[in-house]
Amino acid sequence: MSKLTHLDEDGAAHMVDVSGKLVTRRSATAEGRILMTAEGLAAITQGDLPKGDAIAAARIAGIMAAKKTGELIPLCHPLGLEAVSIEFHPEDDAIRVVATASLNGKTGVEMEALTAASVALLTLYDMGKALDEGMRIDGIRLIAKTGGKSGDWHARD
Amino acid sequence: MSKLTHLDEDGAAHMVDVSGKLVTRRSATAEGRILMTAEGLAAITQGDLPKGDAIAAARIAGIMAAKKTGELIPLCHPLGLEAVSIEFHPEDDAIRVVATASLNGKTGVEMEALTAASVALLTLYDMGKALDEGMRIDGIRLIAKTGGKSGDWHARD
Amino acid sequence: MSKLTHLDEDGAAHMVDVSGKLVTRRSATAEGRILMTAEGLAAITQGDLPKGDAIAAARIAGIMAAKKTGELIPLCHPLGLEAVSIEFHPEDDAIRVVATASLNGKTGVEMEALTAASVALLTLYDMGKALDEGMRIDGIRLIAKTGGKSGDWHARD
Amino acid sequence: MSKLTHLDEDGAAHMVDVSGKLVTRRSATAEGRILMTAEGLAAITQGDLPKGDAIAAARIAGIMAAKKTGELIPLCHPLGLEAVSIEFHPEDDAIRVVATASLNGKTGVEMEALTAASVALLTLYDMGKALDEGMRIDGIRLIAKTGGKSGDWHARD
Amino acid sequence: MSKLTHLDEDGAAHMVDVSGKLVTRRSATAEGRILMTAEGLAAITQGDLPKGDAIAAARIAGIMAAKKTGELIPLCHPLGLEAVSIEFHPEDDAIRVVATASLNGKTGVEMEALTAASVALLTLYDMGKALDEGMRIDGIRLIAKTGGKSGDWHARD
Amino acid sequence: MSKLTHLDEDGAAHMVDVSGKLVTRRSATAEGRILMTAEGLAAITQGDLPKGDAIAAARIAGIMAAKKTGELIPLCHPLGLEAVSIEFHPEDDAIRVVATASLNGKTGVEMEALTAASVALLTLYDMGKALDEGMRIDGIRLIAKTGGKSGDWHARD
């Protein structure tokens, strides 16, 4: 028998029945970073602060992707997201992206936050790829979630 | 003036005009890995070889996402992909995903390969998240591309 | 600080958090018109009454677009629309389109009604454009909304 | 006056207002089969049991299509599906597909179950079409539904 | 080794490489029928001839679905369809739907014609389901295709 | 017989067969404006020049909508757009939006330019609606097109 909740006892994929779960306030925050050269970083952030259409496009793409999560990830439930936001933090050789999604619902929004972060990072990659073919997207992970039966959770570091 | 090809001289985003580019055979290969516990890895791969609906679902999700690249990444051109394939390589503490896309067209397919790999990895995350909340997606990058004016390119390592 | 609710204090776009808002019955009605030559108008309406596949196609396109609002307008919440209808009123030199959407939810449906009207009008444009390249879409606006904290509202004229 | 609930008294299509309907637990099960040659059947099912990526791809396609029902069928309401599953039963000269969808909501999920079954069958068709151009999809129908004002219903045979 | 062109030698699904195929004029015609009671049939066709928004909605839904084939069927290539049309033929106890798609391209459009017919039939089902829960969709199949290496093909009956 | 190219001799909608048309370079430019109060205008443009995420979001939404034209407008062909750009011109009491799309193809891109302008305008409406419920979108029209059998065309004023 499978230990994966998304597979039944025969290993067949299904969209898990969440009808019996409680509606609670749920949120999730995910992060990831894109490593790039100093030149790429300067072009995208235009100096110290992230601004300009490069960051704006990545932000919009990430927010729109959060709404498409159920369309992209086969076994995710379609959800009525109530809030999505994405932050961009320039670092020495990278831009860190932090995405947060939330709703009142029967199932968590980890995949929505992770999808938003991933697509925002891919959009930055697309922006920078003519300058730097060696970019790398790293460390996409959940950093916190609240709500649901399992309660609050934070990544240890 | 912006160094980013996706922004015009005022920093405004646009879909770059590729009408004057040559139609050539173009392909791109991208990779990434998802790090997980031994328990998660065993559940997803069901032993030594990747099989079962977990891997199949991630493969299908990645292929379908390649076709949605122009819908997800704001400034990507809509493309008539001619081939997409995705491989899954179990490692000691991770599954490595390698996605390849190709076509005859006026613009490269790096973003299609990267998007396919990213969504396949997110689907594996979704499969495993009930077992392991500490998974991490790492090292999403282009490993090779062919075709186009800039010619062939391979990641150095 | 921005006065726009869709931007935070730094001017960054986000999907506004509506989790604390009350679920109430909300509806919105929007209108717009497409101005065309007598020849175009006759072809589309086939006489006095709007009928035939031209109007039907525009109606279906508008209803389907209402369901896509959250996919088209970046910061709109995905909504579970409970009713959508679209009326077509032939005028002397135009067709007036009136779209109404409603639901029980935490946020208004103005954008759904406006998007439905806009796409219905664009579909009429597409129908008529081989006959008349000088058509114009005018006066897309909200004419009434009900529900929500701000209460009922009607356009003054 | 039209007897069709999806058309108003003038025969114009609209998305029926369900705001006054009760939220109840609703489910629907639909089936259909694809008839094919022994060769096609053996290739897809790889022997006695349905396994391998052919069935897995059809299952994932069906589940994803259930979530797209409101996008495909013009007058369907967008729904927050809470569970979807699809079974594949090999028969002598066919594969029977059974799809079940459910939610707590104001409107039934018959179309979601029927759409899931139809797209799973079309995906099997696509898999087998290079081997067998004479396949046929037959008997797509509702076999049971529960919930809603009209109560439970089962197909007679 | 798999006999299915959509699976590689390990049984893994992929989008088949069509880059080496010739661009030729290709078309495909598919049919299917929906069986319903006399009451349902009369309501949808409003007498002898199919007219009104029921048929128009099914026609538009089918045409739009043809364009979504690559999004619905996992291994289909995204195609630039050049023509789609759908006919509705009322029969004694059924409506027969015939869908034709065509393009100049490297791969056939069978799945586009079949998907258009299927979604048109599902839309008729949705229209009639309040009147008749016992409808059945039958006989979805390819009736002709032209173009490509395998040349023209017609169903035998 | 219908004068509308999108309807056949029986008035039935179809996607017109463009297979016999020549591939030529085609472009289209469309415009429209959104009228708003001085307060709304100042908030969106943040002074003299359009900048900040409000304009960026509208620009991205418009570009993405151009790529969705074939999905929104029932009888439009799916097209491989090669360039899309959108300009925002603040006026005394309005923002004027100008959208341009182009490709080498068999059919014109008027609807793509008009859809891009319409969705950019709707996104500005969404941004401003909390400040000003009386906004109006006006004057959506084609201002120029090039390419195709009918040759170049410019609006007279």
Side-chain angles (χ1 to χ4, degrees), chain C residues 28-149:
Chain C
T29 300
E31 68 166 13
R33 43 173 60 74
I34 178 166
L35 285 79
M36 51 178 71
T37 60
E39 186 191 18
L41 195 61
I44 284 175
T45 61
Q46 299 183 276
D48 295 15
L49 294 171
K51 65 179 175 185
D53 274 10
I55 296 291
R59 194 190 308 275
I60 295 299
I63 292 171
M64 293 177 88
K67 294 188 270 186
K68 280 186 175 292
T69 304
E71 224 180 286
L72 291 168
I73 312 298
L75 305 178
C76 276
H77 296 82
L79 298 181
L81 289 177
E82 292 178 344
V84 182
S85 62
I86 309 193
E87 294 166 22
F88 294 80
H89 301 285
E91 300 183 337
D92 280 354
D93 58 350
I95 298 174
R96 189 165 76 101
V97 171
V98 180
T100 300
S102 60
L103 53 50
N104 286 276
K106 292 185 177 179
T107 180
V109 290
E110 296 97 309
M111 293 316 301
E112 282 69 18
L114 288 158
T115 300
S118 296
V119 172
L121 288 162
L122 288 168
T123 302
L124 292 178
Y125 191 107
D126 184 44
M127 288 284 167
K129 73 179 194 291
L131 282 178
D132 179 3
E133 274 163 328
M135 287 179 293
R136 198 171 77 236
I137 294 173
D138 257 339
I140 299 175
R141 60 172 194 148
L142 190 65
I143 52 179
K145 62 172 223 172
T146 65
K149 203 177 64 179

Side-chain angles (χ1 to χ4, degrees), chain B residues 44-111:
Chain B
I44 284 175
T45 60
Q46 299 183 278
D48 295 15
L49 294 171
K51 68 181 174 185
D53 273 10
I55 295 291
R59 194 189 309 274
I60 296 299
I63 292 171
M64 295 177 87
K67 293 188 272 186
K68 280 185 174 292
T69 304
E71 223 180 285
L72 292 168
I73 311 297
L75 304 177
C76 276
H77 296 82
L79 299 181
L81 289 176
E82 292 179 344
V84 182
S85 63
I86 310 192
E87 294 165 22
F88 293 81
H89 302 285
E91 300 183 338
D92 279 355
D93 59 349
I95 297 175
R96 189 165 75 101
V97 170
V98 180
T100 300
S102 60
L103 51 49
N104 286 277
K106 292 185 176 179
T107 180
V109 289
E110 297 97 308
M111 294 316 301

Side-chain angles (χ1 to χ4, degrees), chain A residues 6 11-13 53 61 68 71 73-75 111 114 122 125-127 133 136-140 142 145 153, chain B residues 4 6 11-13 53 61 68 71 73-75 111 114 122 125-127 133 136-140 142 145 153:
Chain A
H6 286 9
D53 272 11
K68 280 185 174 293
E71 224 181 284
I73 312 297
L75 305 177
M111 294 314 302
L114 287 158
L122 288 167
Y125 190 106
D126 184 44
M127 288 284 168
E133 275 163 329
R136 199 170 78 235
I137 294 173
D138 256 340
I140 298 175
L142 189 65
K145 63 172 220 171
W153 178 91
Chain B
L4 300 179
H6 286 8
D53 273 10
K68 280 185 174 292
E71 223 180 285
I73 311 297
L75 304 177
M111 294 316 301
L114 288 158
L122 287 168
Y125 191 107
D126 184 44
M127 288 284 168
E133 273 163 329
R136 199 172 76 236
I137 294 173
D138 257 339
I140 298 175
L142 189 66
K145 62 171 223 171
W153 178 91

Side-chain angles (χ1 to χ4, degrees), chain A residues 32-115:
Chain A
R33 44 172 60 72
I34 179 164
L35 285 79
M36 51 177 72
T37 59
E39 186 191 17
L41 194 61
I44 285 175
T45 60
Q46 299 183 276
D48 296 14
L49 294 171
K51 67 180 174 183
D53 272 11
I55 295 292
R59 194 191 308 275
I60 294 299
I63 292 171
M64 294 178 88
K67 293 188 271 186
K68 280 185 174 293
T69 303
E71 224 181 284
L72 292 169
I73 312 297
L75 305 177
C76 277
H77 295 82
L79 298 182
L81 289 177
E82 292 179 344
V84 182
S85 62
I86 309 192
E87 293 165 22
F88 294 81
H89 301 284
E91 299 183 338
D92 278 355
D93 59 350
I95 298 175
R96 189 166 75 101
V97 170
V98 180
T100 300
S102 60
L103 52 47
N104 287 276
K106 291 185 176 179
T107 181
V109 289
E110 296 96 311
M111 294 314 302
E112 282 69 17
L114 287 158
T115 300

Side-chain angles (χ1 to χ4, degrees), chain D residues 125, chain E residues 28-31 96-99 114 139 141-145 153-157:
Chain D
Y125 191 107
Chain E
T29 301
E31 68 166 13
R96 188 165 76 100
V97 171
V98 181
L114 288 158
R141 60 174 194 146
L142 190 66
I143 52 179
K145 62 171 221 172
W153 177 91
H154 286 80
R156 255 164 286 174
D157 56 290

Side-chain angles (χ1 to χ4, degrees), chain F residues 3-147:
Chain F
K3 289 180 174 175
L4 299 180
T5 51
H6 287 8
L7 304 188
D8 67 16
E9 57 269 37
D10 298 320
H14 58 153
M15 194 198 289
V16 177
D17 191 346
V18 296
S19 60
K21 295 177 81 174
L22 288 181
V23 172
T24 65
R25 167 85 175 158
R26 294 162 192 269
S27 73
T29 300
E31 68 165 13
R33 44 172 58 75
I34 179 165
L35 285 80
M36 52 178 73
T37 60
E39 187 192 17
L41 195 61
I44 284 176
T45 59
Q46 299 182 277
D48 295 14
L49 295 171
K51 66 180 175 183
D53 273 11
I55 296 292
R59 193 190 309 274
I60 295 298
I63 292 171
M64 294 178 89
K67 294 188 271 187
K68 279 185 174 294
T69 304
E71 225 179 284
L72 292 168
I73 311 298
L75 305 177
C76 277
H77 296 82
L79 298 181
L81 289 177
E82 292 179 345
V84 182
S85 62
I86 308 191
E87 293 165 23
F88 294 80
H89 301 284
E91 300 182 338
D92 278 355
D93 59 350
I95 298 174
R96 189 165 76 100
V97 171
V98 181
T100 300
S102 61
L103 52 49
N104 285 277
K106 292 184 176 180
T107 181
V109 289
E110 296 97 310
M111 293 315 301
E112 282 68 17
L114 287 158
T115 300
S118 296
V119 172
L121 289 162
L122 287 167
T123 302
L124 292 178
Y125 191 106
D126 184 44
M127 288 285 168
K129 74 179 194 295
L131 282 179
D132 179 3
E133 274 163 329
M135 288 178 292
R136 199 171 78 234
I137 293 172
D138 256 340
I140 298 175
R141 60 173 194 148
L142 190 65
I143 51 179
K145 63 170 221 172
T146 67

